[in-house]
């Protein structure tokens, strides 16, 4: 993840898992939109019998192919390298022969030698260092898909930072939604404190404000640039037939995170959960506004129309949410949701805060998967 | 001659560090330490050199960057130049701005995967490999020193055991050394 601070250890494993599962889902849509899935490998520069016709490396769409596949595979490797020692811990504690076999296979025979830990620390540090610019690059390059086109409403230079801020914003909201449920269901109150929730809320508030500034800049520039198509695109967004989507986007993404300025609200778990759902919905409306309102009315008034999703559209969307949760539930059930080895390293320095920490401590809140952290 | 090994178990990372310092000062060579998490500062005590994985990542990254530039030059400039909106593409330098994103992604892709694969191979941690930690609790909350007798020819097993017992141990055991991997 982006930050190398100790509080990340409460959430990084699960946040990375969510990222990976979400990128699986996100990657499916371009594949579906290719139309002919079975020739999807044509996006790669492979020798072929069309006179060796290569893919176009000048195109942002191809950059996206490389960006998303790099992001997905590097995130996966980062996540898995961190998981190996934790799988070893579970392997050595497992009772059933099936579990021992499965976790032996998944832990790759990790034994925890001093040299291996020495390498582990550098490898995870370098991977974190590589993954951080990847987060920026993948969202910037996705925004290039829009920004380098000539569609009014898309053709803006603010898109890369705006998409990066939006991604962090919605990413943290999603982490809040899922972690609050996970914390409750798996009794992780000793590991995920109110303090962690509060920090994440501050990130949501900050990035929400950045997204708000981006929206306003877009509006200002559409007028200031003097391009009438651009000006019309934004006028149409705010007051046209899709004004309601724009209003939802503005309220949910810009106004609602501002409530996190109140300490009482950002420390309230119920309110956090509510806001995280609101932000997730708001970010969905942002994509809807960017895509639908920009292309339902473009240069040719004769082809102006409204967008009505078919049952297939809705079905595919709901299906990806279902698939995401299938992966996520399987992860929660079988994988260590906290970075066990990492948490152990800070046990001594942060152990004190268990006593004066803000979270309510439940006595005996060990759960089935991770029983081994505290009582060393 | 079959080698024998002494395993000394501790229950705290700071205690094992102090113990290791003491034993090394007494001239004992500690072959390895098994721990559930990285013990900061144990490596120089027991003579583990700092890893060169960072250099591995750098070299793989450089290779990825080179490969990306070489490939794009071949595809877009040499083999099949395409006229895209009349943008200049007569040389690599002219077309370079468009090649930056893929060059960056390829650098990261190669650095990350090259390093990860090297790491797994050097550790001998691969799918299906057996684990060789002496006690299952070393991945949980115990820290174990491995002292091979063949590494300490100037001491007898009894002498080493006596020295180990002076430190704050939980348990000490001597057994036949079996090399698992």
């Amino acid at each position: 993840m982006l930050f190398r601070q100790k509080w990340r250890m409460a959430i990084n494993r699960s946040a990375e898992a969510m990222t990976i599962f979400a990128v699986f889902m996100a990657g499916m849509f371009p594949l579906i939109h290719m139309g002919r899935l079975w020739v999807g490998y044509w996006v790669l520069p492979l020798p072929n019998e069309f006179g060796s016709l290569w893919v176009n490396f000048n195109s942002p769409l191809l950059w996206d192919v490389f960006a998303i596949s790099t992001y997905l595979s590097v995130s996966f490797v980062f996540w898995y390298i961190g998981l190996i020692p934790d799988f070893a811990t579970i392997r050595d504690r497992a009772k059933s022969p099936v579990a021992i076999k499965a976790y032996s296979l998944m832990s790759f025979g990790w034994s925890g030698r001093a040299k291996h830990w020495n390498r582990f620390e550098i490898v995870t540090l370098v991977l974190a260092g590589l993954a951080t610019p990847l987060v920026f690059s993948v969202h910037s390059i996705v925004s290039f898909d829009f920004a380098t086109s000539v569609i009014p409403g898309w053709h803006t230079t603010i898109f890369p930072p705006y998409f990066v801020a939006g991604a962090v914003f919605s990413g943290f909201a999603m982490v809040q939604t899922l972690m609050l449920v996970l914390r409750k269901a798996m009794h992780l109150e000793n590991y995920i404190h109110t303090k962690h929730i509060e920090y994440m809320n501050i990130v949501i508030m900050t990035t929400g404000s950045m997204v708000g500034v981006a929206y306003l800049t877009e509006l200002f520039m559409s007028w200031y640039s003097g391009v009438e198509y651009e000006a019309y695109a934004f006028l149409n967004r705010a007051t046209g037939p899709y004004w309601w989507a724009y209003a939802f986007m503005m309220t949910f993404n810009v106004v609602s995170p501002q409530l996190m300025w109140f300490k009482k609200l950002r420390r309230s778990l119920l309110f956090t959960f509510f806001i995280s759902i609101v932000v997730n919905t708001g970010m969905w409306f942002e994509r809807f506004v960017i895509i639908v309102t920009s292309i339902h009315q473009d240069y040719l008034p004769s082809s102006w129309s409204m967008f009505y999703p078919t049952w297939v559209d809705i079905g595919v969307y709901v299906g990806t949410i279902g698939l995401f949760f299938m992966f996520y539930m399987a992860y929660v059930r079988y994988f260590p949701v906290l970075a066990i080895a990492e948490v152990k390293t800070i046990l001594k320095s942060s152990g004190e805060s268990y006593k004066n920490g803000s979270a309510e401590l439940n006595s005996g809140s060990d759960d089935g998967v991770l029983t081994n952290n505290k009582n060393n | 001659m079959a080698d024998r090994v002494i395993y000394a178990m501790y229950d705290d990372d700071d205690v094992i560090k102090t113990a290791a310092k003491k034993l090394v000062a007494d001239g004992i060579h500690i072959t390895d330490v098994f721990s559930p998490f990285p013990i900061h500062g144990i490596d120089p005590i027991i003579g583990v050199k700092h890893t060169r994985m960072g250099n591995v990542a750098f070299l793989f990254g450089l290779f990825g960057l080179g490969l990306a530039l070489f490939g794009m030059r071949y595809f877009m400039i040499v083999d099949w130049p395409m006229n895209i909106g009349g943008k200049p593409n007569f040389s690599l330098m002219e077309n370079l701005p468009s090649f930056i994103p893929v060059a960056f992604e390829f650098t990261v892709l190669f650095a990350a995967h090259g390093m990860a694969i090297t790491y797994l191979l050097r550790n001998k941690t691969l799918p299906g490999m057996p684990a060789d930690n002496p006690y299952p609790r070393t991945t949980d909350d115990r820290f174990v020193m491995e002292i091979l007798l063949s590494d300490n020819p100037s001491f007898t097993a009894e002498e080493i055991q006596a020295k180990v017992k002076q430190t704050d141990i939980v348990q000490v055991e001597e057994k036949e050394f079996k090399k698992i991997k």
Side-chain angles (χ1 to χ4, degrees), chain A residues 115 118-119 122, chain B residues 43 47-53:
Chain A
K115 181 74 189 178
N118 181 324
R119 290 185 187 131
I122 287 296
Chain B
D43 303 331
V48 169
K49 286 204 204 86
H50 201 266
T51 175
R52 290 167 295 171
M53 282 293 157

Side-chain angles (χ1 to χ4, degrees), chain A residues 19-25 27 66-79 134 138, chain B residues 105 109 113:
Chain A
T19 309
I20 291 163
F21 302 147
V23 177
F24 277 149
M25 300 306 114
F66 283 92
I68 292 176
S69 42
T70 305
Y71 184 55
L72 177 63
S73 63
V74 172
S75 303
F76 180 78
V77 166
F78 184 28
W79 184 62
L134 266 189
V138 76
Chain B
E105 298 296 339
L109 186 77
H113 291 294

Side-chain angles (χ1 to χ4, degrees), chain A residues 259-372:
Chain A
L259 293 169
M260 294 298 183
W261 285 99
F262 297 103
K263 190 158 183 139
K264 214 177 184 115
L265 290 180
R266 70 170 182 254
R267 292 180 67 88
S268 153
L269 302 185
L270 204 62
F271 183 75
T272 303
F273 188 73
F274 170 70
I275 286 291
S276 73
I277 300 282
V278 165
V279 167
N280 285 326
T281 320
M283 283 306 287
W284 184 84
F285 273 110
E286 181 197 296
R287 280 72 182 255
F288 184 84
V289 164
I290 290 175
I291 294 165
V292 174
T293 66
S294 292
I295 53 181
H296 87 117
Q297 294 186 354
D298 64 356
Y299 299 105
L300 278 179
S302 60
S303 43
W304 287 8
S305 65
M306 294 291 281
F307 166 71
Y308 299 103
T310 64
W311 64 270
V312 179
D313 294 339
I314 296 169
V316 169
Y317 182 59
V318 174
T320 55
I321 295 176
L323 204 53
F324 172 85
F325 276 104
M326 187 202 81
F327 281 121
Y328 184 71
M329 296 294 182
Y331 154 77
V332 167
R333 179 72 186 80
Y334 295 111
F335 284 30
V337 293
L338 292 176
I340 303 175
E342 274 189 66
V343 170
K344 283 179 191 169
T345 60
I346 60 161
L347 193 68
K348 284 193 172 162
S349 58
S350 310
E352 229 39 51
S353 69
Y354 284 133
K355 284 157 202 136
N356 56 22
S358 39
E360 280 179 38
L361 288 180
N362 283 345
S363 55
S365 66
D366 280 348
D367 61 86
V369 182
L370 319 154
T371 40
N372 44 354

